[in-house]
Amino acid sequence: MTRVLVPLDGSPLAMRALDHVLDEWPNAETTALHVIDPIDAVYESEVRGPGGGEAWYEAQKEAAEALLDRARGRAADAGVDLRTETVVGSPAREIVRYVGDHDIDHVVMGSHGREGLSRLVLGSVAERVLRRADATVTVVR
């Protein structure tokens, strides 16, 4: 069975990637992965002071669960059982690690995330995953 990973960051292109997988590989073992980037907590702590990072992290966990609930609903509507997981770390590094740790065959992801254009052609996370993942990577635009 094909194992497909769809990294989700809440961007429209990430959801388009999920829709692509649901249409093209409805029988695959599909996992939606959300990565909480802890570097953002550092900035939050600097803005809000001590404890700001903890509040930020709790809000990120809740947002991740809401995002993955939406993804599970979309998958259910397509008749697909979607696995979901949230991890903490650098997004590109955690996606590549997940690919290796879970014997993923194919990664399908959006070309740019929520942060917009950080590179001319691809977002920096998509570019790093494309270069480093030991799996086929499809980038959806």
Side-chain angles (χ1 to χ4, degrees):
M1 173 174 278
T2 301
R3 290 187 178 104
V4 180
L5 179 67
V6 184
L8 294 181
D9 62 4
S11 69
L13 286 175
M15 294 310 276
R16 187 180 297 173
L18 176 62
D19 290 339
H20 180 71
V21 169
L22 297 174
D23 288 341
E24 295 295 319
W25 297 284
N27 297 320
E29 182 180 295
T30 303
T31 302
L33 175 70
H34 179 73
V35 182
I36 296 173
D37 191 348
I39 197 71
D40 294 335
V42 173
Y43 299 119
E44 190 69 20
S45 290
E46 288 182 14
V47 170
R48 299 189 189 267
E54 291 171 24
W56 172 88
Y57 179 66
E58 290 303 317
Q60 291 301 304
K61 287 193 318 188
E62 289 176 17
E65 191 55 37
L67 171 64
L68 295 175
D69 279 346
R70 285 194 312 273
R72 282 188 292 269
R74 259 180 145 127
D77 289 346
V80 174
D81 182 31
L82 181 69
R83 298 170 184 213
T84 60
E85 190 159 344
T86 300
V87 297
V88 176
S90 167
R93 184 176 301 128
E94 293 304 320
I95 293 166
V96 170
R97 181 177 301 157
Y98 194 93
V99 167
D101 290 350
H102 294 87
D103 198 26
I104 298 295
D105 302 303
H106 200 135
V107 178
V108 181
M109 62 190 304
S111 59
H112 295 89
R114 293 175 293 133
E115 302 302 318
L117 298 173
S118 60
R119 297 245 181 214
L120 186 58
V121 178
L122 289 177
S124 59
V125 173
E127 181 179 357
R128 287 185 190 119
V129 172
L130 189 61
R131 293 180 188 274
R132 297 180 181 153
D134 191 21
T136 301
V137 179
T138 298
V139 177
V140 175
R141 299 184 94 184

